[in-house]
């Protein structure tokens, strides 16, 4: 039997979904989940790029389990690659179930951002601090 998996990366965002975030089946919308992941990833990208960034790709997005109203929803970010203008990271969304305190990986994916200059065109990333 394998050991339980732990979140990978840095805790970047935590929130609790509310009834208004649900679909007709009572689960939280997948779009809400992706939006929260993009917010967290954007925060990490902005920190690394030291300024404005834009999402250019979301790849390998996998939904493993539903998110329920009242779950503690946590997003972890981990930079996996940088290019001249881009930052790619692996994002994991976990929940702690309200009633059981069970921790579950619900969604994961790879997000890529580019650094954006004030003029709106891409710009080189600054050297890592």
């Amino acid at each position: 039997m394998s050991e339980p998996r732990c979140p990978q990366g840095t805790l970047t965002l935590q929130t609790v979904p509310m009834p208004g975030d649900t679909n007709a089946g009572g689960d939280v919308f997948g779009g809400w989940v992706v939006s929260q992941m993009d917010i967290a990833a954007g925060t990490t990208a902005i920190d690394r790029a030291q300024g404005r960034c834009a999402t250019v790709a979301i790849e390998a997005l996998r939904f493993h389990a539903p998110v329920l109203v009242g779950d503690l929803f946590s997003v972890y970010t981990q930079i996996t690659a940088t290019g001249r203008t881009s930052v790619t990271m692996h994002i994991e969304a976990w929940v702690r179930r309200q009633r059981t305190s069970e921790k579950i990986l619900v969604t994961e994916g790879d997000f890529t951002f580019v650094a954006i200059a004030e003029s709106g065109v891409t710009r080189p990333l600054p050297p890592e601090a």
Side-chain angles (χ1 to χ4, degrees), residues 4-57:
R5 186 169 169 208
C6 294
Q8 301 297 303
T10 302
L11 177 62
T12 309
L13 179 145
Q14 280 190 314
T15 190
V16 177
M18 298 303 201
D21 302 317
T22 61
N23 59 29
D27 297 325
V28 173
F29 279 110
W32 182 90
V33 171
V34 174
S35 175
Q36 299 304 308
M37 293 172 75
D38 194 43
I39 290 167
T43 300
T44 298
I46 288 166
D47 285 349
R48 172 58 186 90
Q50 298 175 16
R52 188 174 166 202
C53 289
T55 310
V56 294

Tab-separated table of all heavy atoms in Angstrom, residues 4-57:
chain	number	residue	atom	x	y	z
A	4	PRO	N	-0.099	8.001	1.805
A	4	PRO	CA	-0.947	9.094	1.317
A	4	PRO	C	-0.087	10.219	0.749
A	4	PRO	O	0.979	10.512	1.273
A	4	PRO	CB	-1.702	9.561	2.564
A	4	PRO	CG	-1.512	8.508	3.585
A	4	PRO	CD	-0.277	7.738	3.215
A	5	ARG	N	-0.555	10.824	-0.313
A	5	ARG	CA	0.157	11.916	-0.954
A	5	ARG	C	-0.067	13.209	-0.187
A	5	ARG	O	-1.141	13.438	0.349
A	5	ARG	CB	-0.358	12.053	-2.379
A	5	ARG	CG	0.404	13.058	-3.180
A	5	ARG	CD	0.054	12.964	-4.632
A	5	ARG	NE	0.624	14.130	-5.278
A	5	ARG	CZ	0.146	14.687	-6.355
A	5	ARG	NH1	-0.906	14.185	-6.938
A	5	ARG	NH2	0.715	15.743	-6.864
A	6	CYS	N	0.963	14.052	-0.160
A	6	CYS	CA	0.878	15.374	0.472
A	6	CYS	C	0.908	16.438	-0.611
A	6	CYS	O	1.453	16.213	-1.695
A	6	CYS	CB	2.055	15.591	1.413
A	6	CYS	SG	2.046	14.493	2.827
A	7	PRO	N	0.370	17.616	-0.329
A	7	PRO	CA	0.425	18.700	-1.314
A	7	PRO	C	1.870	19.036	-1.688
A	7	PRO	O	2.753	19.050	-0.826
A	7	PRO	CB	-0.235	19.875	-0.599
A	7	PRO	CG	-1.085	19.255	0.465
A	7	PRO	CD	-0.355	18.009	0.872
A	8	GLN	N	2.080	19.326	-2.967
A	8	GLN	CA	3.391	19.741	-3.469
A	8	GLN	C	3.340	21.218	-3.788
A	8	GLN	O	2.387	21.690	-4.406
A	8	GLN	CB	3.750	18.946	-4.731
A	8	GLN	CG	3.800	17.445	-4.523
A	8	GLN	CD	4.882	17.025	-3.545
A	8	GLN	OE1	6.051	17.332	-3.734
A	8	GLN	NE2	4.485	16.346	-2.476
A	9	GLY	N	4.367	21.951	-3.392
A	9	GLY	CA	4.428	23.383	-3.684
A	9	GLY	C	4.158	24.233	-2.462
A	9	GLY	O	4.144	23.750	-1.330
A	10	THR	N	3.916	25.500	-2.730
A	10	THR	CA	3.690	26.499	-1.692
A	10	THR	C	2.206	26.826	-1.601
A	10	THR	O	1.566	27.080	-2.625
A	10	THR	CB	4.471	27.793	-2.033
A	10	THR	OG1	5.859	27.465	-2.143
A	10	THR	CG2	4.265	28.864	-0.972
A	11	LEU	N	1.672	26.827	-0.387
A	11	LEU	CA	0.280	27.227	-0.192
A	11	LEU	C	0.151	28.687	-0.618
A	11	LEU	O	0.812	29.561	-0.065
A	11	LEU	CB	-0.133	27.053	1.262
A	11	LEU	CG	-1.546	27.506	1.609
A	11	LEU	CD1	-2.591	26.705	0.831
A	11	LEU	CD2	-1.778	27.367	3.113
A	12	THR	N	-0.715	28.934	-1.626
A	12	THR	CA	-0.811	30.259	-2.221
A	12	THR	C	-2.182	30.890	-2.028
A	12	THR	O	-2.305	32.108	-1.997
A	12	THR	CB	-0.474	30.181	-3.723
A	12	THR	OG1	0.777	29.492	-3.875
A	12	THR	CG2	-0.354	31.545	-4.355
A	13	LEU	N	-3.222	30.067	-1.873
A	13	LEU	CA	-4.581	30.601	-1.732
A	13	LEU	C	-5.415	29.612	-0.930
A	13	LEU	O	-5.269	28.403	-1.103
A	13	LEU	CB	-5.184	30.780	-3.134
A	13	LEU	CG	-6.612	31.299	-3.225
A	13	LEU	CD1	-6.735	32.195	-4.446
A	13	LEU	CD2	-7.618	30.170	-3.340
A	14	GLN	N	-6.267	30.145	-0.064
A	14	GLN	CA	-7.259	29.333	0.653
A	14	GLN	C	-8.573	30.084	0.665
A	14	GLN	O	-8.601	31.291	0.884
A	14	GLN	CB	-6.842	29.046	2.101
A	14	GLN	CG	-5.849	27.940	2.231
A	14	GLN	CD	-5.656	27.533	3.680
A	14	GLN	OE1	-5.505	28.375	4.563
A	14	GLN	NE2	-5.643	26.241	3.924
A	15	THR	N	-9.659	29.339	0.462
A	15	THR	CA	-10.990	29.918	0.506
A	15	THR	C	-11.994	28.809	0.784
A	15	THR	O	-11.647	27.630	0.806
A	15	THR	CB	-11.325	30.671	-0.811
A	15	THR	OG1	-12.526	31.407	-0.626
A	15	THR	CG2	-11.437	29.731	-1.991
A	16	VAL	N	-13.231	29.196	1.000
A	16	VAL	CA	-14.311	28.241	1.235
A	16	VAL	C	-15.402	28.499	0.210
A	16	VAL	O	-15.946	29.605	0.151
A	16	VAL	CB	-14.872	28.376	2.673
A	16	VAL	CG1	-16.049	27.425	2.880
A	16	VAL	CG2	-13.779	28.122	3.703
A	17	PRO	N	-15.728	27.508	-0.642
A	17	PRO	CA	-16.813	27.700	-1.607
A	17	PRO	C	-18.163	27.791	-0.910
A	17	PRO	O	-18.408	27.122	0.098
A	17	PRO	CB	-16.726	26.479	-2.510
A	17	PRO	CG	-16.009	25.453	-1.713
A	17	PRO	CD	-15.123	26.180	-0.751
A	18	MET	N	-19.036	28.610	-1.474
A	18	MET	CA	-20.366	28.856	-0.921
A	18	MET	C	-21.446	28.294	-1.849
A	18	MET	O	-21.157	27.921	-2.982
A	18	MET	CB	-20.558	30.361	-0.727
A	18	MET	CG	-19.588	30.961	0.257
A	18	MET	SD	-19.738	30.120	1.844
A	18	MET	CE	-19.043	31.304	2.919
A	19	PRO	N	-22.691	28.240	-1.402
A	19	PRO	CA	-23.769	27.683	-2.232
A	19	PRO	C	-23.895	28.338	-3.615
A	19	PRO	O	-24.224	27.659	-4.590
A	19	PRO	CB	-25.025	27.908	-1.385
A	19	PRO	CG	-24.521	27.875	0.018
A	19	PRO	CD	-23.169	28.547	-0.039
A	20	GLY	N	-23.597	29.606	-3.738
A	20	GLY	CA	-23.673	30.293	-5.020
A	20	GLY	C	-22.628	29.832	-6.023
A	20	GLY	O	-22.691	30.190	-7.199
A	21	ASP	N	-21.660	29.027	-5.580
A	21	ASP	CA	-20.594	28.526	-6.454
A	21	ASP	C	-20.909	27.149	-7.027
A	21	ASP	O	-20.049	26.531	-7.656
A	21	ASP	CB	-19.269	28.459	-5.674
A	21	ASP	CG	-18.864	29.807	-5.110
A	21	ASP	OD1	-18.982	30.810	-5.840
A	21	ASP	OD2	-18.425	29.864	-3.933
A	22	THR	N	-22.137	26.657	-6.826
A	22	THR	CA	-22.459	25.283	-7.218
A	22	THR	C	-23.214	25.191	-8.540
A	22	THR	O	-23.842	26.139	-8.996
A	22	THR	CB	-23.311	24.585	-6.139
A	22	THR	OG1	-24.541	25.293	-5.986
A	22	THR	CG2	-22.586	24.513	-4.813
A	23	ASN	N	-23.164	23.976	-9.110
A	23	ASN	CA	-23.944	23.665	-10.308
A	23	ASN	C	-25.267	23.028	-9.876
A	23	ASN	O	-25.546	22.900	-8.676
A	23	ASN	CB	-23.142	22.753	-11.244
A	23	ASN	CG	-22.741	21.442	-10.585
A	23	ASN	OD1	-23.400	20.927	-9.696
A	23	ASN	ND2	-21.629	20.883	-11.047
A	24	ALA	N	-26.061	22.587	-10.843
A	24	ALA	CA	-27.375	22.010	-10.540
A	24	ALA	C	-27.287	20.724	-9.731
A	24	ALA	O	-28.228	20.353	-9.038
A	24	ALA	CB	-28.142	21.760	-11.834
A	25	GLY	N	-26.134	20.049	-9.801
A	25	GLY	CA	-25.948	18.822	-9.030
A	25	GLY	C	-25.503	19.055	-7.598
A	25	GLY	O	-25.392	18.119	-6.813
A	26	GLY	N	-25.233	20.313	-7.246
A	26	GLY	CA	-24.836	20.638	-5.877
A	26	GLY	C	-23.342	20.655	-5.644
A	26	GLY	O	-22.894	20.975	-4.552
A	27	ASP	N	-22.555	20.290	-6.670
A	27	ASP	CA	-21.096	20.360	-6.547
A	27	ASP	C	-20.632	21.736	-7.007
A	27	ASP	O	-21.322	22.437	-7.746
A	27	ASP	CB	-20.426	19.299	-7.427
A	27	ASP	CG	-20.780	17.881	-7.004
A	27	ASP	OD1	-20.939	17.635	-5.796
A	27	ASP	OD2	-20.891	17.019	-7.900
A	28	VAL	N	-19.434	22.120	-6.592
A	28	VAL	CA	-18.871	23.391	-6.998
A	28	VAL	C	-18.492	23.305	-8.482
A	28	VAL	O	-17.932	22.306	-8.936
A	28	VAL	CB	-17.660	23.750	-6.118
A	28	VAL	CG1	-16.940	24.975	-6.625
A	28	VAL	CG2	-18.124	23.966	-4.670
A	29	PHE	N	-18.826	24.364	-9.240
A	29	PHE	CA	-18.507	24.442	-10.669
A	29	PHE	C	-17.023	24.227	-10.903
A	29	PHE	O	-16.181	24.791	-10.198
A	29	PHE	CB	-18.830	25.846	-11.217
A	29	PHE	CG	-20.261	26.087	-11.549
A	29	PHE	CD1	-21.024	26.937	-10.773
A	29	PHE	CD2	-20.845	25.489	-12.656
A	29	PHE	CE1	-22.348	27.200	-11.089
A	29	PHE	CE2	-22.168	25.741	-12.981
A	29	PHE	CZ	-22.919	26.588	-12.192
A	30	GLY	N	-16.702	23.464	-11.951
A	30	GLY	CA	-15.311	23.295	-12.360
A	30	GLY	C	-14.682	24.625	-12.728
A	30	GLY	O	-13.504	24.861	-12.462
A	31	GLY	N	-15.467	25.517	-13.330
A	31	GLY	CA	-14.949	26.833	-13.696
A	31	GLY	C	-14.528	27.646	-12.489
A	31	GLY	O	-13.550	28.405	-12.541
A	32	TRP	N	-15.249	27.490	-11.377
A	32	TRP	CA	-14.870	28.177	-10.137
A	32	TRP	C	-13.521	27.645	-9.661
A	32	TRP	O	-12.637	28.415	-9.268
A	32	TRP	CB	-15.939	27.968	-9.068
A	32	TRP	CG	-15.647	28.670	-7.775
A	32	TRP	CD1	-16.018	29.932	-7.422
A	32	TRP	CD2	-14.912	28.140	-6.649
A	32	TRP	NE1	-15.559	30.220	-6.147
A	32	TRP	CE2	-14.881	29.137	-5.656
A	32	TRP	CE3	-14.284	26.933	-6.394
A	32	TRP	CZ2	-14.246	28.964	-4.436
A	32	TRP	CZ3	-13.642	26.751	-5.169
A	32	TRP	CH2	-13.631	27.764	-4.199
A	33	VAL	N	-13.353	26.331	-9.720
A	33	VAL	CA	-12.100	25.694	-9.293
A	33	VAL	C	-10.937	26.220	-10.131
A	33	VAL	O	-9.901	26.641	-9.605
A	33	VAL	CB	-12.206	24.159	-9.388
A	33	VAL	CG1	-10.853	23.497	-9.165
A	33	VAL	CG2	-13.234	23.631	-8.397
A	34	VAL	N	-11.096	26.214	-11.471
A	34	VAL	CA	-10.035	26.676	-12.362
A	34	VAL	C	-9.737	28.160	-12.115
A	34	VAL	O	-8.574	28.574	-12.125
A	34	VAL	CB	-10.393	26.414	-13.833
A	34	VAL	CG1	-9.349	27.022	-14.770
A	34	VAL	CG2	-10.526	24.921	-14.083
A	35	SER	N	-10.758	28.959	-11.872
A	35	SER	CA	-10.565	30.378	-11.598
A	35	SER	C	-9.702	30.588	-10.353
A	35	SER	O	-8.778	31.414	-10.356
A	35	SER	CB	-11.920	31.055	-11.422
A	35	SER	OG	-11.766	32.398	-11.044
A	36	GLN	N	-9.983	29.852	-9.297
A	36	GLN	CA	-9.191	29.977	-8.065
A	36	GLN	C	-7.752	29.540	-8.308
A	36	GLN	O	-6.805	30.164	-7.808
A	36	GLN	CB	-9.817	29.149	-6.934
A	36	GLN	CG	-11.228	29.560	-6.559
A	36	GLN	CD	-11.347	31.017	-6.185
A	36	GLN	OE1	-10.606	31.518	-5.348
A	36	GLN	NE2	-12.273	31.717	-6.812
A	37	MET	N	-7.576	28.468	-9.085
A	37	MET	CA	-6.227	27.998	-9.416
A	37	MET	C	-5.474	29.045	-10.226
A	37	MET	O	-4.284	29.285	-10.003
A	37	MET	CB	-6.301	26.668	-10.166
A	37	MET	CG	-6.826	25.527	-9.304
A	37	MET	SD	-7.139	24.016	-10.244
A	37	MET	CE	-5.452	23.428	-10.514
A	38	ASP	N	-6.154	29.707	-11.165
A	38	ASP	CA	-5.531	30.732	-12.000
A	38	ASP	C	-5.146	31.954	-11.165
A	38	ASP	O	-4.094	32.549	-11.382
A	38	ASP	CB	-6.474	31.116	-13.137
A	38	ASP	CG	-5.786	31.911	-14.227
A	38	ASP	OD1	-4.653	31.554	-14.615
A	38	ASP	OD2	-6.393	32.882	-14.710
A	39	ILE	N	-5.973	32.316	-10.210
A	39	ILE	CA	-5.649	33.429	-9.303
A	39	ILE	C	-4.376	33.109	-8.526
A	39	ILE	O	-3.458	33.931	-8.434
A	39	ILE	CB	-6.820	33.740	-8.355
A	39	ILE	CG1	-7.988	34.358	-9.137
A	39	ILE	CG2	-6.376	34.660	-7.215
A	39	ILE	CD1	-9.293	34.417	-8.349
A	40	ALA	N	-4.305	31.907	-7.968
A	40	ALA	CA	-3.123	31.503	-7.189
A	40	ALA	C	-1.880	31.457	-8.080
A	40	ALA	O	-0.819	31.971	-7.708
A	40	ALA	CB	-3.362	30.143	-6.535
A	41	ALA	N	-2.012	30.852	-9.262
A	41	ALA	CA	-0.880	30.762	-10.181
A	41	ALA	C	-0.431	32.153	-10.615
A	41	ALA	O	0.776	32.425	-10.720
A	41	ALA	CB	-1.261	29.913	-11.394
A	42	GLY	N	-1.382	33.041	-10.857
A	42	GLY	CA	-1.048	34.412	-11.242
A	42	GLY	C	-0.257	35.127	-10.172
A	42	GLY	O	0.679	35.873	-10.471
A	43	THR	N	-0.597	34.887	-8.926
A	43	THR	CA	0.134	35.488	-7.810
A	43	THR	C	1.585	35.033	-7.814
A	43	THR	O	2.512	35.846	-7.664
A	43	THR	CB	-0.537	35.110	-6.472
A	43	THR	OG1	-1.874	35.596	-6.484
A	43	THR	CG2	0.207	35.683	-5.284
A	44	THR	N	1.799	33.741	-8.027
A	44	THR	CA	3.157	33.197	-8.074
A	44	THR	C	3.914	33.742	-9.285
A	44	THR	O	5.090	34.109	-9.179
A	44	THR	CB	3.110	31.658	-8.094
A	44	THR	OG1	2.492	31.216	-6.881
A	44	THR	CG2	4.493	31.050	-8.199
A	45	ALA	N	3.248	33.813	-10.439
A	45	ALA	CA	3.889	34.331	-11.650
A	45	ALA	C	4.299	35.792	-11.478
A	45	ALA	O	5.407	36.192	-11.861
A	45	ALA	CB	2.957	34.170	-12.842
A	46	ILE	N	3.413	36.601	-10.899
A	46	ILE	CA	3.708	38.019	-10.679
A	46	ILE	C	4.897	38.190	-9.741
A	46	ILE	O	5.771	39.033	-9.972
A	46	ILE	CB	2.459	38.753	-10.148
A	46	ILE	CG1	1.429	38.897	-11.275
A	46	ILE	CG2	2.810	40.110	-9.542
A	46	ILE	CD1	0.042	39.298	-10.808
A	47	ASP	N	4.965	37.372	-8.701
A	47	ASP	CA	6.107	37.424	-7.780
A	47	ASP	C	7.405	37.118	-8.519
A	47	ASP	O	8.403	37.817	-8.368
A	47	ASP	CB	5.932	36.440	-6.625
A	47	ASP	CG	4.929	36.905	-5.590
A	47	ASP	OD1	4.510	38.084	-5.634
A	47	ASP	OD2	4.547	36.079	-4.747
A	48	ARG	N	7.392	36.050	-9.337
A	48	ARG	CA	8.619	35.649	-10.052
A	48	ARG	C	8.995	36.675	-11.121
A	48	ARG	O	10.157	36.992	-11.324
A	48	ARG	CB	8.438	34.262	-10.679
A	48	ARG	CG	9.567	33.814	-11.612
A	48	ARG	CD	10.918	33.804	-10.891
A	48	ARG	NE	12.001	33.509	-11.803
A	48	ARG	CZ	12.681	34.443	-12.492
A	48	ARG	NH1	12.386	35.729	-12.378
A	48	ARG	NH2	13.663	34.083	-13.295
A	49	ALA	N	7.987	37.190	-11.843
A	49	ALA	CA	8.243	38.132	-12.940
A	49	ALA	C	8.435	39.559	-12.449
A	49	ALA	O	8.805	40.432	-13.225
A	49	ALA	CB	7.100	38.082	-13.942
A	50	GLN	N	8.148	39.791	-11.176
A	50	GLN	CA	8.236	41.126	-10.578
A	50	GLN	C	7.382	42.138	-11.356
A	50	GLN	O	7.812	43.250	-11.648
A	50	GLN	CB	9.692	41.589	-10.481
A	50	GLN	CG	10.529	40.698	-9.595
A	50	GLN	CD	11.994	41.082	-9.605
A	50	GLN	OE1	12.365	42.167	-10.017
A	50	GLN	NE2	12.843	40.167	-9.139
A	51	GLY	N	6.175	41.705	-11.684
A	51	GLY	CA	5.261	42.598	-12.380
A	51	GLY	C	4.180	41.846	-13.118
A	51	GLY	O	3.992	40.643	-12.934
A	52	ARG	N	3.491	42.572	-13.964
A	52	ARG	CA	2.315	42.088	-14.685
A	52	ARG	C	2.601	40.813	-15.485
A	52	ARG	O	3.641	40.662	-16.115
A	52	ARG	CB	1.859	43.202	-15.617
A	52	ARG	CG	0.567	42.964	-16.292
A	52	ARG	CD	0.162	44.203	-17.063
A	52	ARG	NE	-0.919	43.878	-17.973
A	52	ARG	CZ	-1.227	44.571	-19.044
A	52	ARG	NH1	-0.525	45.648	-19.347
A	52	ARG	NH2	-2.219	44.210	-19.806
A	53	CYS	N	1.615	39.900	-15.465
A	53	CYS	CA	1.701	38.639	-16.200
A	53	CYS	C	0.334	38.299	-16.777
A	53	CYS	O	-0.682	38.811	-16.321
A	53	CYS	CB	2.107	37.490	-15.275
A	53	CYS	SG	3.807	37.564	-14.728
A	54	ALA	N	0.336	37.399	-17.755
A	54	ALA	CA	-0.915	36.917	-18.343
A	54	ALA	C	-0.839	35.405	-18.514
A	54	ALA	O	0.217	34.865	-18.860
A	54	ALA	CB	-1.158	37.577	-19.691
A	55	THR	N	-1.958	34.739	-18.274
A	55	THR	CA	-2.052	33.301	-18.519
A	55	THR	C	-2.036	33.059	-20.016
A	55	THR	O	-2.812	33.681	-20.750
A	55	THR	CB	-3.376	32.745	-17.951
A	55	THR	OG1	-3.532	33.179	-16.603
A	55	THR	CG2	-3.425	31.235	-18.039
A	56	VAL	N	-1.171	32.156	-20.492
A	56	VAL	CA	-1.146	31.829	-21.917
A	56	VAL	C	-1.499	30.375	-22.192
A	56	VAL	O	-1.850	30.037	-23.324
A	56	VAL	CB	0.200	32.184	-22.584
A	56	VAL	CG1	0.402	33.684	-22.594
A	56	VAL	CG2	1.363	31.468	-21.930
A	57	ALA	N	-1.425	29.517	-21.173
A	57	ALA	CA	-1.777	28.109	-21.393
A	57	ALA	C	-2.133	27.438	-20.071
A	57	ALA	O	-1.552	27.732	-19.030
A	57	ALA	CB	-0.619	27.353	-22.043
